[in-house]
Amino acid sequence: MFHRIYFGWWVMLGCFVSYAAAQGIFVYTLPVLYPELIDEFGWNSEQMTRPATLGYILGAIMVPFVSALFDRYSVRISMILGVFGITLGLALYPRIGNLAHLMWIYVIFAFGQVGCGLVPNMLLMTRWFRRRRGIAIGIVLLGSTIGGALFPLIVKAVLDGGNWRDAVAILALIGGTLMLIPVIAFIRNKPADMGLLPDGDQTIKEDTIPDITATGPTLRQAIKTPAFYLLLVATGGLWFTATGILQHQSIYIGRELGVETGTIALIVSLFFWGAIAGKLIFGWLSDHLDKTLMMLAATLLLIVGLMILRFSSAGSPFMLYGYALIFGIGFSGSFTMIQIVVAEFFAGQSYGRILGIFTMVDVGAGGIGINAVGRMEVAAGTYTTVLEGLAGLCVLIAGIIIVLYRMQPTKKEAEAEASYG
């Protein structure tokens, strides 16, 4: 039975499980522990998120160089090395004794994330799928959401009977296993290596398989289009907002609103359960509706979620749960649509390099967002003005997306010109 299933779905499964563990732990679960570390070490919000800022910015610097290699060398080997990097960082995490220790651990995390993070997973999906690319990308990105929903519950269970060091040790054991086994078992570099075409449309002899990466705009052609720069600003702004909130929401809800850590874990888990629906819905709709308009819809949900959080309090748990669901859907939708819209505009012979540039800007913007939110909170003494500012930024991004939507005929003409000469 298994040989009748297009192998691309097994590649997608491997990406899904590995990505769920890597992102679910590194990006979404470790911040749940921030209030615990602040209590133990006495750090403020900017100090607490400084290591994550370093990790994001270092990763952004490395991404373009590594991504260029993905167009020529094995993605699978890179992912295996990346898994070892993240697992090593998690194994060392419980042994930290000061902020410098944590900074070095996030340097290790940065190397691991570049090797097995967003770029290699998205590159694999664009190689193995064309007509079903939207739903395939949506499902893989759904993995991080499921990881973000499940792993905080593990942390909560451990915290009920132990401490944060025990929680990270268990995350290292479970996460390392879930990251490594799927990569080894299922990841293959491209369908041509197995005598296949994207989407499993047909199986033909290897020596007659056309080079499907020979079409699409080159990097030089892409950087001459206004859409390239508008997309950079829009996606960078979305990463700035979403990453800043994700790294600080537990601190805001726990320290400023006074919600206990166990309840924070439930709110974060609910956030990601809501995001599960968002990634599936936006991934599916992107194969049937205008992709740019779907990106706009996701951005509008971010604005609504930010304003709900702005007016929430410890005495209004339903507003916090509402924030978790709405912002979760908006976050997952925007994150999914970023990858799909970039692929829609620029997939082809230079996609690895182009995606590397976008990821560099996006991850760098995320790192700056983490630090900027922390500094603004320290300066103002509250997160409320920060939330208002981020909502305003999302309004600006929505305007940029509308401009991109109006530019779509020009974009299609550019694609045709790149394909034929």
Side-chain angles (χ1 to χ4, degrees):
M1 179 182 72
F2 295 106
H3 70 277
R4 298 179 181 177
I5 300 175
Y6 171 53
F7 196 80
W9 297 116
W10 295 110
V11 175
M12 186 194 71
L13 176 63
C15 291
F16 172 87
V17 176
S18 180
Y19 197 67
Q23 302 299 302
I25 294 173
F26 170 69
V27 178
Y28 305 129
T29 303
L30 292 181
V32 174
L33 299 172
Y34 286 174
E36 300 286 326
L37 274 70
I38 289 174
D39 288 339
E40 178 171 332
F41 295 104
W43 300 329
N44 61 36
S45 61
E46 188 277 327
Q47 290 172 317
M48 182 65 256
T49 55
R50 191 183 300 168
T53 300
L54 172 65
Y56 274 82
I57 293 177
L58 181 59
I61 294 172
M62 291 189 294
V63 159
F65 302 101
V66 177
S67 298
L69 298 178
F70 289 150
D71 288 329
R72 301 177 58 187
Y73 301 107
S74 172
V75 176
R76 184 170 182 261
I77 292 176
S78 170
M79 293 182 73
I80 292 173
L81 294 175
V83 166
F84 280 115
I86 295 177
T87 305
L88 175 61
L90 289 171
L92 294 174
Y93 202 107
R95 302 175 64 86
I96 65 171
N98 55 54
L99 189 59
H101 291 166
L102 192 57
M103 297 280 282
W104 279 111
I105 286 173
Y106 270 83
V107 170
I108 298 173
F109 280 149
F111 281 93
Q113 282 291 310
V114 171
C116 68
L118 178 66
V119 174
N121 282 282
M122 293 302 97
L123 184 58
L124 287 172
M125 290 303 96
T126 59
R127 286 177 176 176
W128 284 89
F129 297 95
R130 295 183 113 175
R131 289 183 294 103
R132 300 186 177 110
R133 182 180 294 161
I135 190 62
I137 287 177
I139 291 174
V140 171
L141 295 179
L142 175 63
S144 65
T145 306
I146 291 181
L150 292 177
F151 286 107
L153 298 180
I154 297 175
V155 167
K156 181 180 184 300
V158 176
L159 288 177
D160 288 341
N163 56 52
W164 67 267
R165 298 178 191 272
D166 297 330
V168 178
I170 291 175
L171 290 176
L173 178 62
I174 297 175
T177 302
L178 290 177
M179 284 186 284
L180 183 60
I181 293 178
V183 172
I184 293 176
F186 298 123
I187 299 303
R188 300 295 182 271
N189 289 313
K190 53 188 177 181
D193 293 343
M194 303 183 68
L196 301 171
L197 288 176
D199 297 308
D201 288 337
Q202 58 181 307
T203 302
I204 58 179
K205 293 182 179 179
E206 185 174 356
D207 58 1
T208 63
I209 295 177
D211 182 6
I212 62 169
T213 65
T215 60
T218 64
L219 176 58
R220 179 174 295 183
Q221 291 170 328
I223 63 177
K224 292 180 179 179
T225 63
F228 181 85
Y229 300 99
L230 289 173
L231 268 176
L232 277 179
V233 174
T235 60
L238 289 173
W239 270 74
F240 181 98
T241 301
T243 307
I245 289 294
L246 288 174
Q247 292 291 320
H248 285 270
Q249 65 179 354
S250 295
I251 302 174
Y252 171 60
I253 295 171
R255 306 290 293 183
E256 189 165 329
L257 299 186
V259 178
E260 64 179 9
T261 303
T263 303
I264 294 173
L266 291 176
I267 293 171
V268 173
S269 181
L270 180 62
F271 171 95
F272 289 107
W273 283 115
I276 288 173
K279 286 185 178 177
L280 286 175
I281 291 170
F282 277 92
W284 182 80
L285 287 177
S286 70
D287 286 333
H288 299 83
L289 301 176
D290 186 272
K291 297 171 175 58
T292 311
L293 287 180
M294 297 308 301
M295 187 176 179
L296 175 62
T299 304
L300 296 177
L301 287 176
L302 289 179
I303 297 171
V304 174
L306 285 169
M307 296 313 298
I308 292 176
L309 183 61
R310 161 64 178 83
F311 292 103
S312 294
S313 67
S316 57
F318 287 107
M319 289 190 69
L320 289 172
Y321 296 146
Y323 150 75
L325 286 173
I326 293 175
F327 193 84
I329 294 173
F331 162 76
S332 63
S334 62
F335 191 70
T336 300
M337 295 314 304
I338 286 172
Q339 315 312 319
I340 293 174
V341 171
V342 172
E344 179 75 2
F345 275 72
F346 302 116
Q349 54 191 314
S350 296
Y351 179 63
R353 295 177 179 85
I354 294 171
L355 183 59
I357 293 174
F358 272 89
T359 304
M360 176 189 69
V361 172
D362 293 346
V363 175
I368 294 171
I370 296 170
N371 186 260
V373 170
R375 288 182 178 274
M376 287 188 288
E377 187 276 333
V378 171
T382 178
Y383 278 103
T384 56
T385 55
V386 178
L387 294 172
E388 293 168 356
L390 292 177
L393 175 60
C394 287
V395 171
L396 176 62
I397 294 169
I400 293 174
I401 295 173
I402 291 173
V403 174
L404 282 168
Y405 172 71
R406 294 179 178 275
M407 289 175 57
Q408 284 187 115
T410 302
K411 182 267 298 186
K412 291 177 181 178
E413 293 171 5
E415 285 183 342
E417 180 180 348
S419 297
Y420 292 103

